[in-house]
Each structure stands twice: as C-alpha cells, then as structure tokens.
Amino acid sequence: GQNIDQPTEMTATEGAIVQINCTYQTSGFNGLFWYQQHAGEAPTFLSYNVLDGLEEKGRFSSFLSRSKGYSYLLLKELQMKDSASYLCAVMDSNYQLIWGAGTKLIIKP
Amino acid sequence: IAGITQAPTSQILAAGRRMTLRCTQDMRHNAMYWYRQDLGLGLRLIHYSNTAGTTGKGEVPDGYSVSRANTDDFPLTLASAVPSQTSVYFCASSEAPGTGGDYGKLFFGSGTQLSVL
C-alpha cells in the first residue's frame, strides 16, 4: 500500500529553526510537495522537489532523498504566523497525489 | 479576484437528503479535484477531472458523484447523505497534466464544512 508518514505535532520557539520530516512509500514517484494549512483555512502550496537535494525559498527549504524515501521541510527564523499544519504529499506513478495526515506546528513566544 | 469559489461555506443536512456542493474556478485550469479532510487523516481524493467532459474516481468515491460540463464548474453531489459524510470538503484545481510540478501545485477553495445528522 501507499503510505506517507509525518509527525502529528511539533512545538518550537519563535526565532528558532524547526525541521519537519516526511517519509513515504508509494507506487512510483513524480515529485514531493509541501503545503501549509492554517487552522480553518485551505492548504496553500509551499514547495516542490523532484530531484535529490535542497530547494531553498526564503525562510523555508525543502530537502529530498529519493533513495531513502525521505523529505524534510526546514523553517528558519520562526514567526508566530508559521503556526499551522504542514502537509507532505507525493505524486505517484499515476500522477495522483498521496497525502500525509499533516504535522501541526505550534510556535511559542 | 482569480481563484476558486466554493459554496456553501457550511451546511447542516439531514441524513437521506440530497446535496450539491458548488465549485467554480476562473484560472482556466484543466484539472479539478474534490477532497475531503477529516481530523487525523490526510486529504482524501473523492473524484477528479483532468479536462472538461471527463471525470475519474479517487480514493473514496462511494456516495458521491461529479460532473464537468465546462472548464470552470465542478459540482459534487451527495445523492443520499449519511453521517459518515460529515467532513470538510475542498475543491481544488491545477494546470493541465504536464510536468509533475504543475500538476501537483494545487489551488484550493476555502472549503465547505458539512454536517450530516
């Protein structure tokens, strides 16, 4: 079966750095996506990785290792507005997105 | 304002009633999707459409139907609602299948909170 695993909840301090991990087992691979979802709102696209390595976009970076079935989202200089759920999704061989349950990130002052 | 519009925002429905959730996009995206999101579970795909006139079943299609008469509209119908269909429903769209990046970059509507009693 296809499976995406990520921690249910994480807590971090304002101004710090946090790494949210995602491991996956899917039928084929056509890219890994990270989305941000604030409470009561819709998910919004953050990043896309299809090749191994690090993609940096401002305070957010995303890393992929296809051989390990592993990705992480790195958030630097945390701000209170970063409190949200972060969803990891993998596109399988049928170009369908398989979603993880999301990681709720709590930022404390 | 470009984007996806869903209606209604929320609805309480008696079991056995028929309900249509509306979804309209103005980005001229070919692909559209309906997801449900339940606490502790990932987004689950109900139905999708890669282009106007075609639809496909997702992971959890039972009890739901869709139509795609044109590019902009993608309504989701619950023929006879049951309590297990209580959920938050999101409509989404993406550009035509091409590179995986374009296809997987979804734009979501604001969601419909549906409660079936």
Side-chain angles (χ1 to χ4, degrees):
Chain A
Q2 306 200 94
N3 194 51
I4 310 287
D5 285 319
Q6 46 182 136
T8 302
E9 186 174 296
M10 299 182 69
T11 302
T13 303
E14 189 177 16
I17 299 174
V18 70
Q19 178 175 311
I20 302 173
N21 296 325
C22 171
T23 58
Y24 63 89
Q25 291 180 310
T26 57
S27 303
F29 180 84
N30 280 300
L32 186 142
F33 300 79
W34 285 96
Y35 282 77
Q36 181 189 59
Q37 185 177 24
H38 285 102
E41 298 183 7
T44 56
F45 171 81
L46 281 179
S47 67
Y48 163 63
N49 295 70
V50 68
L51 299 176
D52 289 352
L54 189 68
E55 294 281 343
E56 297 185 81
K57 191 183 295 185
R59 294 188 298 113
F60 292 8
S61 302
S62 56
F63 171 83
L64 174 67
S65 169
R66 288 172 297 171
S67 63
K68 295 182 179 179
Y70 169 70
S71 172
Y72 67 73
L73 181 68
L74 191 72
L75 290 72
K76 303 177 183 177
E77 301 171 13
L78 286 170
Q79 301 176 9
M80 297 303 293
K81 68 179 182 179
D82 298 329
S83 293
S85 289
Y86 292 86
L87 314 181
C88 174
V90 173
M91 182 166 284
D92 69 10
S93 56
N94 293 320
Y95 290 93
Q96 296 288 350
L97 280 174
I98 311 301
W99 296 82
T103 298
K104 182 178 181 180
L105 178 63
I106 300 168
I107 310 295
K108 295 186 175 181
Chain B
I1 299 176
I4 297 184
T5 302
Q6 287 186 237
T9 303
S10 65
Q11 182 75 44
I12 299 174
L13 191 65
R17 296 296 296 270
R18 180 184 179 89
M19 175 74 190
T20 295
L21 307 185
R22 301 184 298 278
C23 176
T24 300
Q25 55 108 353
D26 62 2
M27 296 177 284
R28 308 305 294 172
H29 285 169
N30 278 312
M32 296 188 75
Y33 316 85
W34 274 105
Y35 285 95
R36 60 178 291 172
Q37 187 174 41
D38 302 288
L39 197 63
L41 300 177
L43 287 163
R44 292 185 290 169
L45 183 65
I46 303 170
H47 285 287
Y48 65 94
S49 169
N50 286 334
T51 189
T54 69
T55 62
K57 294 181 179 180
E59 181 186 355
V60 288
D62 294 343
Y64 306 94
S65 63
V66 292
S67 62
R68 187 86 185 279
N70 56 61
T71 298
D72 299 342
D73 301 302
F74 192 44
L76 176 74
T77 298
L78 289 68
S80 179
V82 295
S84 62
Q85 292 178 310
T86 294
S87 186
V88 178
Y89 290 86
F90 287 105
C91 180
S93 71
S94 67
E95 295 184 18
T99 65
D102 289 341
Y103 199 33
K105 184 179 178 181
L106 269 56
F107 295 81
F108 286 85
S110 56
T112 296
Q113 172 70 62
L114 181 67
S115 298
V116 183
L117 305 178

